[in-house]
Amino acid sequence: MPITFISDKNLFKLDAAGATYVLSVTKGGYLLGLYWGGAIPDANFGGYAFRDYASSFSPSNPEVTEGGFSPDTAPLEFSGFGTGDFRKSAVSIRNADGNDATDFRYTGHRISRGKGAPAGMPATFAEDPADCETLEIDLADRTTGAELTLFYTVFEDLPVVTRYARLKNASQKAMDIEKISSASVQFAAMDFDFIHLYGRWGAERNWVRSPLAHGHQSISSARGSSSHYHNPFAALARCGADEDRGEVYGFNLVYSGSFDITADVDYYETTRLNMGINPEGFLWHLEPGEVFDTPEAVLVYSKEGLGGMSRAFHRLYLDHLIRGKYRREVRPLLINSWEAAYFDFDTDKLVSFAERAKEIGIDMLVMDDGWFSRRNDDRSSLGDWWVNEDKLPGGLGVLIDRVNALGLKFGIWYEPEMISPDSDIYRAHPDWCLHVPDRPNSIARHQYVIDMSRQDVRDNIWEQMNAVLSKYKIDYVKWDFNRNLTEAGSALLSAPHGEEIFHRFVLGTYELMGRLVDTYPDLLLENCSGGGGRFDPGMLYFSPQIWASDNTDAIERLAIQFGTSLCYPASTMGAHVSMSRRTGFETKGNVAMWGTFGYELDPNRLTEKDLGIVKKQVADYHKYYELIHYGDLYRITDPWDNAFRCAWEFVSQDKNEALFTHVTMRYYHCPTLIVRFKGLDPNFTYTLESTGEKYSGAFLMNAGLNLSLYPRGTGESFVLHFVKEN
Ligand code: DGJ
């Protein structure tokens, strides 16, 4: 049993593969987070939680007189506000009396097989309830009548704990939630580095690593989406931990809206990390009997450095988050029209792309933005989802029939959460966008944001989308989202519910996206937000792949893909070969192969030479699909460590096969390049496919190979494929 309650010690022990998480309940009913780290067989935690009184500035509760206990110094697992714990609280509630003091104490617990999910939100799942076990701990604040349930799930074969919280107003009066974390985690130490992913449009998810210091370190989004700027991911790496060694704690929020992750190092050198919905722009009103669920948080423990952490996230997401047909089935290799034509296309041009794509071996044509209403540039028409017959004479049916007749599948673009002021829908319903009274709406890319909190608005968008999707054979949808939320108000939400809009927006998006994938289970959905502005586990629950960035330059993509890989598997990273000029087609292909792989160019512009390379890439896509999509990733040299070159490797789960890629970003004079490979079985013998030479796994990992004579000029790359000898 991965979860045990040791009743004589009032202690919960959660054992995941290679990791243990321990909670205890004090005599006064405080829930303490005692330990999270490497697996431990016993639970002799008597006295472990003892923290001496600091001074008269550490208050205690008169009812709880156990020696030295103060909420100020105790490792409270989910601290309320205003009753003696002065660190960042996990939950803060304004009660009907107008104060926000809460003091949650244990009232009971349950342990069961399987797991649930927060209402209306994506979450990890276990198809077989035997794969995981869940602990629910009930806490209550006697004074306000607020009741809290904390959910912990342990996946037996992974070093992962998932968590979320449910708050119920069990009183007779209304209350407002000012803040509620999905998880709050205590560490009796501060010797950590805080790692996170920051970025911007075209340069998403760069690694940053800095030592924790006394005080707060946080990342957040207040944009209404997870955003290009910070990803809802952070890690605490024990000082000295690196890619392959040392303890790393990884945190990721299964949420696509505004979030906050804060590490709070207190005066006594302990650390608390809270993660959840950003309290800024959040106030949730609960009438008596009502309940609020937080998004789910994923917690990963690794003893094998950042690499081990990434592989645990990847395995969890591949097996327990991504759903639908294309979770396992080979996805069609696609060509997208955006960088090939932008808004300038018609049926004949698209068919000409499809004809050439067919010759190359591509499986699907995706028609990007510009196919609907009067959308000839980005200034109009979002929300009017009817086909522009000036561009596509005879309508979509004619185009799709011609594409299908070539043997290609067909995909289409939507941006369902947006509305152009210059659109029929906006002229008819000016109150269908987010807005607040007496304040002009900010504009971005000439568009407003639709009020996704409204059922009637979502129904209208759905009816328009469904009219197209139900009529034609559409195999793929790209769901885009090209601006953030401002003037976030809804015509249907007034005080005391007005500030619920940011979260209600996300819930509305999830509901509509859920309708789409439930109605069309065979559809391949790819999310996108001006590139990778909403690359988060919430979106991955609906779409097995997300367009990683609008930047398709192979060299710049390296940092984007390395950063993304910290948390997200290769099969989720939308990556295409484009006409970008900095490198040749070999390198563009080798880089895009570390992702979903596809093309974003006019195939009629390919030279004969490039066509040959592209045809080989298509064959490689099929050859390495399983290895890249389901294998384990080992990062060898990353672009922040080394400004000149980077390298990575995929190893199949049975260790029978490995694929190594090396890219030189900038030529440098260095006579030797010896690379030691990772993740192989030391006892296996591997054949290097290109030369037929044989090496033991031990040799490849310890001595490595001298790769000095492989292509190493600026922008050049090479790939090595190792196969186990039978
Ligand atoms: C932003 C996306 O990232 C692009 O790939 C493309 O779909 C455009 N939007 C279309 O407007």
Side-chain angles (χ1 to χ4, degrees):
M1 295 285 275
I3 301 179
T4 38
F5 176 59
I6 305 170
S7 55
D8 58 329
K9 296 179 170 143
N10 264 345
L11 196 133
F12 299 97
K13 186 162 177 284
L14 285 61
D15 290 305
T20 298
Y21 193 112
V22 178
L23 299 154
S24 76
V25 181
T26 69
K27 281 202 189 113
Y30 285 101
L31 183 67
L32 305 184
L34 283 192
Y35 172 79
W36 180 30
I40 45 175
D42 45 352
N44 196 5
F45 279 96
Y48 194 81
F50 178 76
R51 310 268 197 270
D52 202 359
Y53 254 85
S55 67
S56 62
F57 294 94
S58 289
S60 62
N61 188 307
E63 292 166 20
V64 181
T65 51
E66 288 167 288
F69 185 89
S70 168
D72 184 35
T73 54
L76 296 185
E77 175 72 357
F78 210 83
S79 177
F81 182 81
T83 49
D85 182 340
F86 299 101
R87 293 160 289 184
K88 289 281 179 193
S89 60
V91 54
S92 165
I93 299 165
R94 165 132 338 139
N95 59 45
D97 296 333
N99 68 73
D100 40 20
T102 46
D103 179 4
F104 284 98
R105 308 288 180 89
Y106 171 85
T107 57
H109 74 269
R110 293 163 296 286
I111 297 172
S112 58
R113 277 278 155 192
K115 84 181 284 289
M121 275 177 279
T124 56
F125 59 85
E127 273 163 336
D128 182 352
D131 287 350
C132 65
E133 198 165 52
T134 297
L135 165 68
E136 298 175 32
I137 301 181
D138 297 325
L139 306 161
D141 177 58
R142 262 196 323 226
T143 310
T144 58
E147 291 179 357
L148 197 55
T149 302
L150 305 182
F151 296 79
Y152 298 80
T153 296
V154 176
F155 286 89
E156 266 180 87
D157 57 343
L158 291 167
V160 169
V161 177
T162 62
R163 293 180 53 176
Y164 65 96
R166 175 169 293 159
L167 189 91
K168 179 173 182 187
N169 179 356
S171 78
Q172 301 304 315
K173 297 175 184 166
M175 55 178 70
D176 293 302
I177 310 173
E178 296 171 313
K179 169 187 187 178
I180 181 161
S181 298
S182 296
S184 179
V185 184
Q186 324 305 311
F187 296 93
M190 62 172 287
D191 57 334
F192 294 110
D193 291 337
F194 188 77
I195 298 176
H196 64 96
L197 298 169
Y198 85 96
R200 54 189 169 270
W201 178 82
E204 295 88 339
R205 291 175 293 286
N206 299 279
W207 296 14
V208 201
R209 178 170 183 158
S210 46
L212 278 187
H214 286 95
H216 310 142
Q217 183 155 350
S218 59
I219 54 161
S220 64
S221 163
R223 294 170 173 269
S225 79
S226 47
S227 91
H228 298 83
Y229 303 87
H230 283 140
N231 195 263
F233 159 83
L236 292 181
R238 208 55 93 159
C239 296
D242 62 17
E243 177 65 25
D244 302 308
R245 283 163 294 270
E247 284 193 304
V248 178
Y249 298 84
F251 304 87
N252 199 197
L253 193 64
V254 188
Y255 192 57
S256 311
S258 300
F259 70 92
D260 180 89
I261 303 178
T262 296
D264 178 357
V265 179
D266 73 2
Y267 352 90
Y268 310 119
E269 273 108 55
T270 75
T271 303
R272 167 179 292 168
L273 187 135
N274 290 345
M275 69 190 300
I277 294 176
N278 192 342
E280 207 169 13
F282 175 84
L283 188 72
W284 197 273
H285 186 73
L286 279 187
E287 288 292 331
E290 286 183 342
V291 163
F292 180 84
D293 281 0
T294 71
E296 183 171 69
V298 176
L299 281 55
V300 165
Y301 172 78
S302 164
K303 273 190 302 211
E304 289 164 18
L306 288 161
M309 176 203 70
S310 299
R311 287 186 289 278
F313 274 121
H314 297 176
R315 198 55 54 203
L316 179 77
Y317 293 165
L318 290 172
D319 292 344
H320 301 290
L321 180 69
I322 292 164
R323 302 175 303 160
K325 173 172 156 171
Y326 288 110
R327 178 175 150 207
R328 282 301 306 190
E329 217 165 276
V330 177
R331 301 181 203 155
L333 175 53
L334 68 85
I335 185 161
N336 176 295
S337 68
W338 181 243
E339 289 190 31
Y342 296 102
F343 296 99
D344 178 21
F345 60 80
D346 58 18
T347 302
D348 286 340
K349 192 186 256 189
L350 292 175
V351 170
S352 80
F353 293 170
E355 282 165 349
R356 199 61 191 267
K358 173 69 187 167
E359 244 178 77
I360 296 169
I362 290 171
D363 307 308
M364 179 159 72
L365 175 77
V366 174
M367 175 178 64
D368 209 280
D369 195 355
W371 59 269
F372 50 95
S373 181
R374 287 173 288 277
R375 182 87 166 167
N376 295 317
D377 54 34
D378 63 7
R379 308 183 82 87
S380 79
S381 305
L382 295 170
D384 294 342
W385 299 109
W386 42 267
V387 70
N388 176 347
E389 295 213 17
D390 292 339
K391 277 186 180 172
L392 308 176
L396 269 180
V398 172
L399 169 65
I400 296 175
D401 285 350
R402 287 178 66 186
V403 170
N404 287 167
L406 292 165
L408 264 70
K409 294 176 185 293
F410 182 81
I412 199 167
W413 180 96
Y414 278 100
E415 194 174 3
E417 298 147 283
M418 298 291 160
I419 189 164
S420 302
D422 181 7
S423 64
D424 295 347
I425 190 176
Y426 181 76
R427 281 182 281 274
H429 304 282
D431 64 331
W432 278 13
C433 67
L434 293 180
H435 63 284
V436 290
D438 305 323
R439 194 176 289 284
N441 258 4
S442 304
I443 192 107
R445 210 196 188 204
H446 315 285
Q447 63 199 55
Y448 296 152
V449 182
I450 272 199
D451 183 354
M452 293 295 287
S453 73
R454 287 178 62 159
Q455 176 83 45
D456 56 344
V457 177
R458 294 198 304 273
D459 287 348
N460 176 289
I461 299 300
W462 171 247
E463 277 154 27
Q464 292 195 62
M465 290 176 77
N466 199 32
V468 172
L469 297 172
S470 61
K471 189 162 172 199
Y472 303 108
K473 200 179 161 328
I474 293 178
D475 304 290
Y476 162 109
V477 164
K478 178 172 172 186
W479 180 308
D480 209 343
F481 179 83
N482 281 299
R483 63 160 289 179
N484 292 131
L485 278 54
T486 57
E487 295 80 34
S490 166
L492 298 192
L493 281 179
S494 50
H497 295 285
E499 286 179 76
E500 295 170 6
I501 184 67
F502 275 102
H503 183 53
R504 287 191 183 276
F505 181 91
V506 179
L507 294 177
T509 295
Y510 287 153
E511 191 272 330
L512 190 61
M513 225 175 254
R515 261 199 256 188
L516 175 65
V517 295
D518 290 347
T519 312
Y520 298 100
D522 288 344
L523 186 85
L524 174 57
L525 180 64
E526 175 153 3
N527 258 286
C528 172
S529 170
R534 209 162 51 173
F535 206 120
D536 60 61
M539 288 289 129
L540 282 182
Y541 178 79
F542 297 98
S543 63
Q545 58 193 54
I546 301 176
W547 183 228
S549 180
D550 277 346
N551 191 336
T552 53
D553 176 274
I555 298 301
E556 302 216 6
R557 268 276 175 156
L558 290 168
I560 294 164
Q561 294 182 186
F562 265 91
T564 306
S565 79
L566 216 47
C567 205
Y568 308 104
S571 69
T572 66
M573 283 197 269
H576 294 168
V577 172
S578 74
M579 291 306 260
S580 63
R581 290 182 189 283
R582 245 206 302 175
T583 67
F585 271 86
E586 285 98 344
T587 295
K588 293 192 240 193
N590 289 339
V591 173
M593 204 66 77
W594 179 6
T596 58
F597 196 76
Y599 291 90
E600 183 108 4
L601 45 74
D602 177 349
N604 298 305
R605 287 178 53 212
L606 290 172
T607 62
E608 276 310 308
K609 177 174 168 253
D610 292 340
L611 203 59
I613 299 170
V614 165
K615 283 184 178 164
K616 161 130 189 356
Q617 287 168 350
V618 171
D620 284 349
Y621 169 76
H622 293 291
K623 178 174 174 183
Y624 299 127
Y625 188 92
E626 184 76 18
L627 178 53
I628 293 171
H629 278 232
Y630 305 110
D632 286 322
L633 171 73
Y634 290 84
R635 289 177 292 256
I636 309 246
T637 310
D638 69 66
W640 297 281
D641 245 12
N642 189 314
F644 302 98
R645 60 192 192 85
C646 51
W648 62 97
E649 184 192 340
F650 286 97
V651 180
S652 61
Q653 280 185 273
D654 58 11
K655 300 200 179 284
N656 283 349
E657 212 188 341
L659 185 71
F660 166 85
T661 307
H662 182 281
V663 181
T664 302
M665 296 176 285
R666 192 141 49 97
Y667 170 76
Y668 62 110
H669 180 72
C670 183
T672 45
L673 172 64
I674 292 187
V675 171
R676 300 199 303 160
F677 301 89
K678 297 182 185 176
L680 305 172
D681 187 317
N683 301 314
F684 287 1
T685 299
Y686 294 90
T687 306
L688 174 55
E689 199 180 48
S690 50
T691 64
E693 284 169 292
K694 296 186 192 316
Y695 307 93
S696 68
F699 184 94
L700 291 170
M701 290 194 290
N702 294 324
L705 293 185
N706 186 342
L707 306 178
S708 307
L709 295 178
Y710 283 83
R712 290 202 289 144
T714 297
E716 288 187 327
S717 63
F718 60 91
V719 165
L720 304 179
H721 185 212
F722 297 94
V723 183
K724 184 196 168 200
E725 198 185 42
N726 285 317

